[in-house]
């Protein structure tokens, strides 16, 4: 991206700077009047050329219009009524119109030269041309040359000028500043569309000399991000914008989807379930150790006191994935799954009750009951995400690819599961980025509904702490947060405060009345409340004042259109579900073959129990083997030898002996 | 009293924009005052002398010429649009800037402008302005003349004795020169306008037409007189004038300003209903060129009157003369005030 040449529009002055004692100019604000038909409005960038040289140089000042007033020579509305004899239509018959003024207030974007910083002088006012826009926004420092770091964010379109506006990658992705915050009311194509557009621009323009870049997007509602690899129909106006901003008008080339299973089922819990779109969809499943590592996410502070914390640590370090023996217990244990863990808990509690023992290895029986209750409950709350056999299907940590979007679709998951997914994935990203072995050097993490995950008030959750950590330290690692929210005022101030770049779409009037918007003038706030689709107000460290830009519709299919074009499949019977998933891996797999292998009688499998079938299917899908059919059959036979129960059923605690009197967790 | 009218140096709009006395009046005034302060004891505060001017308050009567018929009221026929395309007015601002041996030194700015109306909005149709210093020659040292010349200020000698004249006499003499200078600018502008304006253009002049034979005989110009220091009616005629209702005018009568002034036709027009019984409220006297016979003059007066009634809007508030001040004339005054910096 290079700075555009000047346009002829800026040749004639459209206004003159004016200052009075009551309304003086300052180094950061000035006033000017224009002809009544001047194409100037709130958001228009103008250039002031001074009259007297300062240190041998005529000062040039760039400003953005933030307020405008108009008035006539009538001093009182009553005078006008009197003059018109109370007839509102009289004005149209009057041979003269009153003398009228258009007086604008502009905030200074830049003064050239920078020193000495003086009040804006009197002078002629010109509409900014494309080159002026680049200078005014200090883009001239990063849009030109081989080592350009410009990331187009939109097109400045005001005052007859159309000029690309770019962010500085060093201030968007780091290391100078980082993070992006997007605010706007729902349903007006602001937040999701803007992120999709900006990611496309980022992928197209992130400079090679700054390293590689990938994005991890959490789809937390509906089908919003489910069709990033599918093209959307664009009109000519959008194509013009894409061309002007030098971004290819096409969907993302490399997208991978991850989604947990539906609880206890064999299909993935995602609206991207159309057969034609299964080639890049993979299950997201974790085992006990992955979950236990982030048990804190699902346990509130009230639950996890020091004693409970100690027991969880004990289990994590001494029980999990080890041969565990204890003279007290009825049998040796090896805990690999939630079912194993529950069996271990039952053995421990039964032994303590049998001996009327209140503590075991310093852990009180009430604490053991409490932790058992909470941990085994996780499997129920996160059914579909957690595998009972400990098998993991995860994002390709260590093998992330440049310019690839990894979408984690947890829209169908419960809130607890969403929290767990977010916490673990971000933690893993951070670990790998610290070790420099993720596969890419920068990762953009997009989280929608940030006011839900990092609210300004409310409990200090694990997820909120993680988001704060990213916001405050992520840029050093290359971990960049793109957060979206409807109400910026309801997001933790340290998160929005650390966002180097902020985008505003159309804003709710009540939201604009909150103190966070006090720095914006009434006219700017009024414009924010009425922004059209595809318009944004942008704050960026290089811009002294926010600017308004237009961005094109994303070149990817929207969630709503995607669902219409690729309708989700209806929940199939087990045999059909298996056939569909295995067919995606091996086209030779047919429904007939699956029914034959399972001994399908039309409603159920005669040869295997359903949990064993589910386990075999998941193992096959995870492994993605060359011999799909052979692997599935082997997994079926192995499951048949050691049948396991459904996760949700398996971890349900078995009835225990009556709890000791006074045990608050005994019920 | 013998007064000499100084040399008139008219400024065009272009001149003023390029730094003439109109455009940089404030700057040149301060420069000039600094120089003047070197040679005179003290400068007075800013008190506009025009505030005291009352005009000719001597009552006079005028009966319709050639008849014994007094003024008669006529209802003005309605018009759909005003054909007035330009307004002309002048301003003068004077103050005593210094005293030398008991004689006031007057500093004045005079200007006149034509505001052309295009698409219901006013644009500059020509502006002339002058900056003057008026004093007896004996009161102004040679050094000051040089200062004034550099500052673009004209010196106008006032022919009164610097030694034994009453200060008010000297001031009145100076003010007469200032008024004459303003009237000259107005006349020049009006005549220039007549030379350049198309036949379908009409000019409304603030004041009477007697400033020029050319102006007084032009069918494209009327003069609207707001002040009634001289009331051209008495007896029954006076009752007719005072009894005019909004939208009514008197019949036309010939009128001559002074003995040698050009003869024009004049009539009274009630623009607005009298407030609180004030018989002069909303009353203007109009002067127009005599055109052919009496019938034609009356017909033209009807035409002009209809246009003037349309010019009642927008109202010229908050000017205290708003009941008689046309908005176009007020626009001239406002424009000159802004241009001249007074």
């Amino acid at each position: 991206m290079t700075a555009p040449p000047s346009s002829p529009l800026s040749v004639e002055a459209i206004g003159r700077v004016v200052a009075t004692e009551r309304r003086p100019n300052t180094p950061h604000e000035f006033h000017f009047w224009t002809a009544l038909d001047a194409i100037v409005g709130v958001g228009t960038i103008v250039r002031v050329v001074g009259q007297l040289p300062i240190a041998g140089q005529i000062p040039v000042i760039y400003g953005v219009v933030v307020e405008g007033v108009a008035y006539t020579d009538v001093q009182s509305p009553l005078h006008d009524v009197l003059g018109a004899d109370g007839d509102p239509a009289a004005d149209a018959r009057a041979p003269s119109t009153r003398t009228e003024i258009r007086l604008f207030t502009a905030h200074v974007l830049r003064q050239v030269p920078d020193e000495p910083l003086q009040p804006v002088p009197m002078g002629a006012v010109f509409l900014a041309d494309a080159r002026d826009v680049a200078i005014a926004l200090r883009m001239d420092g990063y849009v030109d040359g081989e080592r350009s770091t410009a990331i187009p964010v939109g097109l400045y379109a005001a005052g007859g000028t159309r000029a690309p506006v770019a962010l500085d990658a060093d201030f968007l992705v780091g290391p100078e500043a980082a993070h992006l915050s997007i605010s706007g009311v729902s349903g007006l194509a602001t937040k999701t569309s803007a992120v999709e557009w900006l990611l496309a621009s980022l992928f197209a323009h992130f400079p090679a000399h700054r390293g590689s870049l990938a994005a991890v997007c959490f789809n937390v509602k509906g089908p919003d991000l489910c069709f990033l690899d599918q093209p959307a129909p664009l009109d000519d106006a959008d194509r013009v914008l894409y061309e002007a901003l030098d971004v290819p008008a096409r969907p993302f080339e490399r997208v991978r989807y991850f989604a947990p299973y539906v609880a206890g089922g064999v299909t993935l819990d995602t609206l991207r379930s159309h057969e034609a779109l299964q080639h890049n969809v993979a299950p997201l499943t974790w085992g006990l150790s992955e979950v236990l590592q982030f048990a804190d996410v699902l346990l509130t502070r009230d639950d996890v006191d020091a004693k409970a914390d100690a027991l969880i640590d004990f289990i994590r370090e001494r029980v999990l994935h080890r041969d565990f023996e204890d003279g007290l217990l009825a049998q040796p244990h090896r805990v690999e799954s939630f079912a194993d863990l529950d069996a271990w808990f039952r053995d421990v509690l039964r032994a303590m009750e049998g001996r009327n023992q209140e503590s075991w290895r310093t852990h009180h029986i009430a604490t053991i009951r409490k932790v058992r209750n909470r941990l085994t409950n996780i499997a129920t709350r996160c059914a579909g995400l957690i595998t009972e056999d400990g098998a993991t299907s995860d994002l390709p940590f260590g093998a992330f690819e440049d310019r690839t979007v990894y979408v984690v679709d947890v829209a169908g998951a419960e809130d607890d599961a969403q929290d767990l997914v977010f916490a673990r994935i971000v933690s893993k990203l951070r670990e790998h980025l610290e070790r420099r072995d993720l596969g890419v050097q920068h990762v953009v993490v997009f989280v929608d509904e940030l006011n839900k995950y990092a609210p300004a008030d409310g409990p200090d959750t694990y997820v909120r702490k993680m988001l704060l950590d990213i916001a405050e330290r992520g840029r050093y690692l290359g971990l960049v947060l793109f957060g979206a929210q409807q109400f910026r005022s309801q997001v933790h101030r340290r998160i929005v405060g650390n966002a180097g770049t902020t985008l505003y779409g159309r804003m709710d009037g009540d939201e604009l009345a909150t103190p966070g918007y006090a720095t914006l003038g009434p006219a700017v706030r009024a414009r924010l409340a009425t922004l059209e689709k595809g318009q944004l107000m942008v704050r960026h460290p290089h811009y002294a004042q926010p600017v308004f830009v237009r961005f094109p519709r994303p070149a990817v299919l929207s969630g709503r259109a995607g669902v219409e074009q690729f309708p989700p499949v209806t929940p199939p019977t087990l045999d059909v579900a298996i056939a569909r998933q295995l067919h995606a891996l091996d086209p030779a797999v047919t429904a007939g073959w699956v029914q034959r292998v399972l001994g399908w009688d039309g409603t159920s499998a005669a040869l295997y129990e359903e949990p064993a079938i589910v386990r075999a299917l998941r193992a096959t899908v995870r492994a993605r083997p060359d011999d799909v059919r052979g692997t599935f059959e082997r997994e079926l036979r192995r499951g048949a030898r050691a049948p396991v129960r459904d996760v949700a059923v398996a971890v349900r605690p078995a009835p225990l002996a009556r709890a000791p009197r006074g045990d608050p967790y005994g019920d | 009293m013998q007064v000499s009218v100084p040399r008139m140096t008219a400024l065009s709009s272009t001149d003023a924009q390029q730094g003439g006395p109109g455009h940089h009046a404030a700057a040149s005034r301060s420069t000039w005052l600094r120089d003047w302060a070197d040679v005179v004891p003290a400068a007075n505060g800013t008190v506009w002398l025009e505030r005291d001017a009352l005009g000719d308050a001597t009552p006079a009567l005028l009966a319709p010429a050639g008849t014994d018929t007094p003024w008669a009221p006529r209802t003005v026929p309605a018009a759909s649009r005003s054909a007035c395309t330009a307004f002309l007015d002048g301003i003068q601002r004077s103050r005593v800037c210094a005293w030398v041996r008991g004689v006031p030194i007057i500093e004045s700015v005079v200007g006149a402008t034509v505001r052309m109306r295009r698409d219901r909005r006013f644009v500059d149709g020509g502006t002339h302005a002058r900056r003057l210093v008026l004093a007896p020659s004996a009161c102004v040292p040679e050094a000051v003349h040089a200062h004034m010349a550099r500052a673009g200020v004209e010196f106008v000698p006032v022919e009164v004795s610097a030694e034994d004249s009453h200060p008010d006499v000297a001031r009145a003499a100076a003010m007469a020169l200032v008024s004459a200078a303003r009237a000259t600018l107005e006349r020049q502008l009006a005549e220039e306008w007549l030379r350049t304006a198309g036949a379908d253009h009409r000019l409304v002049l603030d004041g009477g037409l007697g400033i020029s034979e050319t102006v007084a005989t032009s069918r494209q110009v009327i003069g609207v007189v707001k002040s009634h220091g001289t009331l051209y009616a008495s007896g029954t005629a006076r009752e007719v004038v005072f009894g005019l209702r909004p939208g009514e005018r008197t019949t036309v009568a010939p009128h001559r300003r002074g003995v040698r002034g050009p003869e024009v036709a004049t009539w009274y027009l009630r623009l607005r209903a009298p407030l609180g019984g004030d018989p002069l409220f909303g009353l203007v006297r109009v002067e127009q060129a005599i055109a052919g016979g009496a019938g034609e003059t009356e017909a033209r007066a009807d035409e002009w009157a209809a246009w003037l009634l349309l010019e009642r809007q927008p109202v010229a508030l908050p000017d205290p003369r708003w009941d008689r001040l046309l908005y176009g004339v007020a626009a001239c005054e406002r424009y000159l005030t802004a241009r001249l910096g007074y």
Side-chain angles (χ1 to χ4, degrees):
Chain A
M1 185 177 175
T2 57
S6 297
S7 72
L9 267 174
S10 59
V11 173
E12 287 192 11
I14 52 96
R16 285 193 62 81
V17 176
V18 62
T20 62
E21 190 170 356
R22 290 181 61 186
R23 199 175 244 187
N25 290 343
T26 68
H28 62 269
E29 183 181 271
F30 63 95
H31 315 279
F32 65 95
W33 62 267
T34 68
L36 298 183
D37 59 351
I39 46 176
V40 175
V42 171
T44 304
I45 296 177
V46 295
R47 169 169 49 91
V48 176
V49 179
Q51 296 168 325
L52 296 173
I54 306 293
Q57 186 174 354
I58 292 285
V60 178
I61 294 90
Y62 300 91
V64 59
V65 175
V66 296
E67 188 58 274
V69 294
Y71 53 89
T72 66
D73 53 6
V74 68
Q75 284 199 334
S76 160
L78 193 59
H79 292 172
D80 213 39
V81 174
L82 193 60
D85 288 330
D87 178 8
D91 177 67
R93 297 191 295 269
S96 306
T97 55
R98 288 190 174 277
T99 304
E100 187 179 347
I101 184 174
R102 293 276 192 278
L103 183 64
F104 293 97
T105 300
H107 283 173
V108 173
L109 288 165
R110 189 176 186 182
Q111 293 208 24
V112 179
D114 295 329
E115 294 290 344
L117 187 60
Q118 294 189 340
V120 176
M122 303 306 106
V125 179
F126 301 84
L127 289 169
D129 62 22
R131 180 69 191 170
D132 291 331
V133 172
I135 297 171
L137 300 179
R138 292 180 164 78
M139 288 163 23
D140 50 342
Y142 58 89
V143 296
D144 290 323
E146 292 181 357
R147 297 190 70 79
S148 163
T149 53
I151 309 295
V153 66
L155 196 72
Y156 165 82
T161 298
R162 293 165 68 85
V165 173
L167 308 174
D168 186 349
D170 286 350
F171 288 77
L172 178 65
V173 178
E176 306 296 345
H179 313 308
L180 178 87
S181 171
I182 309 174
S183 305
V185 296
S186 296
L188 282 168
T190 299
K191 302 188 294 290
T192 306
S193 296
V195 164
E196 289 171 349
W197 147 250
L198 192 57
L199 278 179
S201 177
L202 194 56
F203 279 15
H205 285 270
F206 189 70
H209 59 83
R210 288 291 191 270
S212 50
L213 173 84
V216 174
C217 300
F218 291 91
N219 187 55
V220 295
K221 59 178 183 183
D224 272 3
L225 302 171
C226 287
F227 306 98
L228 296 182
D229 55 349
Q230 299 302 314
L234 298 174
D235 57 26
D236 289 343
D238 290 318
R239 293 189 184 283
V240 167
L241 282 174
Y242 274 102
E243 191 172 341
L245 295 166
D246 193 21
V247 174
R250 57 172 181 255
F252 294 95
E253 291 177 352
R254 290 186 290 277
V255 187
R256 293 182 62 180
Y257 284 88
F258 298 86
Y261 284 100
V262 294
V266 294
T267 55
L268 297 181
D269 192 3
T270 175
L271 289 172
R272 188 185 167 96
S273 56
H274 194 276
E275 279 184 70
L277 304 178
Q278 295 307 299
H279 61 283
N280 57 356
V281 182
L284 181 71
T285 56
W286 294 335
L288 175 62
S289 52
E290 284 79 19
V291 175
L292 214 53
Q293 192 179 356
F294 293 92
D296 288 1
V297 176
L298 302 174
L299 303 176
T300 65
R301 270 295 100 188
D302 292 339
D303 285 335
V304 189
D305 55 17
K307 296 173 190 171
D309 221 7
L311 178 58
I312 292 170
D313 280 347
F314 174 81
I315 295 169
R316 200 183 285 146
E317 292 173 10
R318 305 282 297 277
V319 178
L320 213 56
H321 305 310
R322 292 170 186 273
D323 294 325
F324 185 84
E325 292 187 40
D326 187 287
L328 187 72
L329 302 184
Q331 62 185 56
H333 289 267
R334 184 173 180 86
V335 176
E336 300 283 358
S337 66
F338 274 95
D340 297 338
L341 181 65
D342 192 52
W344 178 84
F345 268 121
R346 279 205 311 273
D347 199 359
V348 170
L349 289 169
R350 193 171 289 127
M352 291 176 72
E353 288 163 0
R355 296 188 181 198
N356 203 21
Q357 216 172 296
E358 283 205 344
S359 66
W360 174 76
R361 296 198 181 197
T362 73
H363 302 293
H364 193 271
I365 190 168
T367 304
I368 296 172
R369 283 181 184 281
K370 174 179 166 181
V371 171
R372 179 205 179 206
N373 178 287
R374 301 297 186 270
L375 289 184
T376 53
N377 193 24
I378 289 175
T380 306
R381 288 148 71 190
C382 301
L385 173 67
I386 295 169
T387 55
E388 35 65 49
D389 58 357
T392 299
S393 174
D394 216 345
L395 273 69
F397 297 111
F400 266 48
E401 295 176 1
D402 193 19
R403 325 280 159 157
T404 303
V405 184
Y406 300 88
V407 180
V408 180
D409 188 358
V410 286
E414 291 189 14
D415 287 355
D416 286 343
Q418 288 187 357
D419 288 354
L420 179 63
V421 167
F422 177 78
R424 182 170 181 277
I425 289 177
V426 171
S427 294
K428 293 287 287 181
L429 289 172
R430 180 180 175 138
E431 285 173 22
H432 285 278
L433 283 169
E434 281 178 344
R435 295 200 303 261
R436 303 284 174 199
D437 66 355
L438 182 62
V440 293
Q441 287 150 302
H442 303 87
V443 175
V444 170
V445 175
F446 171 52
V447 185
D448 200 354
E449 307 294 341
L450 209 55
N451 45 323
K452 173 182 168 187
Y453 297 106
D457 47 21
D460 192 17
T461 63
Y462 192 93
V463 171
R464 188 168 82 166
K465 281 191 287 188
M466 290 200 64
L467 286 166
L468 279 168
D469 187 63
I470 298 176
E472 291 172 341
R473 284 171 284 279
R475 67 189 171 106
Y476 301 111
L477 301 171
L479 188 57
V480 182
L481 178 66
F482 280 18
Q485 60 278 325
Q486 188 166 357
F487 303 116
R488 177 181 158 89
S489 63
Q490 294 178 10
V491 178
H492 199 290
R493 59 185 302 175
R494 277 159 57 199
I495 290 180
V496 292
N498 273 293
T501 303
T502 306
L503 308 181
Y504 302 85
R506 184 188 290 191
M507 304 294 293
D508 178 77
D510 290 342
E511 170 72 1
L512 287 168
T514 58
Y517 301 87
T519 55
L520 303 176
V524 174
R525 288 204 296 269
R527 182 164 182 195
L528 273 179
T530 56
L531 275 185
E532 296 174 7
K533 283 184 176 181
Q535 286 187 317
L536 292 172
M537 189 180 81
V538 185
R539 281 181 185 273
H540 188 59
H542 285 295
Y543 312 161
Q545 300 293 336
V547 292
F548 290 92
V549 299
R550 285 185 177 277
F551 68 96
R553 276 189 299 178
V556 303
L557 211 52
S558 70
R560 187 180 301 172
V563 168
E564 288 175 6
Q565 191 171 333
F566 300 101
V569 294
T570 51
T573 55
L574 184 63
D575 59 324
V576 174
I578 293 170
R580 281 178 180 167
Q581 290 195 49
L582 295 185
H583 181 79
L585 302 176
D586 178 2
V589 174
T590 63
W593 177 83
V594 173
Q595 289 168 353
R596 195 165 55 250
V597 169
L598 299 180
W600 193 256
D601 64 3
T603 55
S604 63
L607 299 179
Y608 302 96
E609 290 185 3
E610 189 169 317
I613 298 170
V614 170
R615 178 183 168 280
L617 174 66
R618 292 185 179 182
T620 307
V621 172
R622 269 196 313 273
R624 293 182 170 264
D626 293 335
D627 180 11
V628 172
R629 286 173 292 179
T631 303
F632 181 63
E633 286 182 293
R634 276 195 301 278
E635 291 293 339
L636 275 176
R637 286 194 292 274
R638 193 162 62 183
R641 283 196 300 273
V644 291
R645 288 163 293 173
D646 180 70
V647 175
V649 175
V651 297
R652 189 169 297 138
L656 292 169
R658 190 177 181 79
R661 187 181 297 276
D663 180 355
Y665 305 102
D667 294 336
Chain B
M1 183 175 61
Q2 182 69 33
V3 295
S4 66
V5 178
R7 180 177 55 87
M8 302 293 185
T9 306
L11 275 176
S12 69
S13 304
T14 309
D15 293 337
Q17 287 166 358
Q18 290 175 350
H23 188 66
H24 285 157
S28 54
R29 182 176 68 238
S30 61
T31 305
W32 182 80
L33 281 176
R34 192 166 58 245
D35 298 338
W36 184 261
D38 296 337
V39 292
V40 296
N44 204 347
T46 301
V47 177
W48 303 128
L49 303 176
E50 282 78 5
R51 202 171 57 177
D52 298 331
L54 296 175
D56 181 6
T58 307
L61 299 177
L62 180 71
T67 74
D68 297 329
T69 310
W71 295 107
R74 287 171 62 99
T75 299
V76 177
S80 59
R81 54 175 291 275
S82 169
C84 304
T85 54
F87 295 81
L88 189 155
D89 194 12
I91 66 168
Q92 62 184 67
R93 297 286 184 268
S94 308
R95 61 177 191 143
V96 177
C97 64
W99 294 89
V100 176
R101 299 195 297 278
V103 176
I105 310 299
I106 309 291
E107 181 194 14
S108 290
V109 170
V110 294
T113 189
V114 172
R115 300 296 285 164
M116 297 285 291
R117 185 160 59 199
R118 289 184 190 146
D119 298 330
R120 303 177 72 210
R121 296 193 181 279
F122 292 108
V123 296
D124 186 20
T127 300
H128 291 181
R130 296 170 63 199
R131 288 177 41 72
L132 313 171
V133 167
L134 304 99
S137 296
C139 294
V140 182
E142 274 305 313
V144 174
H145 282 286
H147 284 300
M148 288 191 294
R150 282 198 297 274
V153 179
E154 297 174 48
F155 174 72
V156 180
V158 180
E159 302 297 333
V160 295
S161 167
E163 283 72 30
D164 58 357
S165 64
H166 190 291
D168 284 353
V169 172
R171 190 178 73 163
M175 292 305 295
L177 290 172
V178 172
S179 295
R182 175 184 54 76
T184 303
L185 290 186
E186 291 176 354
R187 177 178 56 78
Q188 287 176 329
L189 259 183
E191 290 174 353
E192 284 174 16
W193 185 87
L194 281 173
R195 281 197 298 274
T196 57
D200 55 339
H201 285 251
R202 298 290 182 272
L203 173 71
V204 177
L205 185 69
D206 184 52
L209 297 185
I211 56 174
S212 154
E213 182 76 30
T214 306
V215 172
T217 56
S218 169
R219 296 184 179 189
Q220 291 179 258
V221 184
I222 59 165
V224 177
V225 183
K226 303 187 295 292
S227 61
H228 300 292
T230 301
L231 191 63
Y232 298 94
S234 66
T236 309
R238 178 175 170 277
E239 294 300 319
V240 169
V241 171
F242 288 174
L244 287 175
R245 292 178 296 184
E248 287 184 345
R249 68 173 179 86
T250 63
T251 45
V252 171
H255 171 62
R256 190 186 299 276
R257 187 183 187 185
V259 179
R260 281 177 288 182
E263 186 177 61
V264 296
T266 188
W267 37 275
Y268 282 93
L269 172 67
R270 177 77 70 186
L271 293 173
R272 302 179 195 278
L275 277 181
D278 179 355
L280 301 181
F281 187 90
L283 187 70
V284 294
R285 186 172 62 82
V286 181
E287 293 183 4
Q288 70 177 75
I290 294 173
E296 187 180 346
T297 304
E298 290 286 2
R300 288 192 179 275
D302 274 343
E303 210 171 44
W304 278 108
W307 297 338
L308 291 178
L309 289 174
L310 289 173
E311 297 291 344
R312 289 178 297 186
Q313 291 171 350
V315 67
L317 280 166
D319 193 293
R321 306 162 297 169
W322 65 273
D323 58 313
R324 285 163 280 179
L325 180 62
L326 299 179
Y327 187 79
V329 175
C332 293
E333 292 187 8
R334 195 177 303 117
Y335 179 75
L336 284 170
T337 303
R339 279 284 298 270
L340 303 183
Y342 283 86

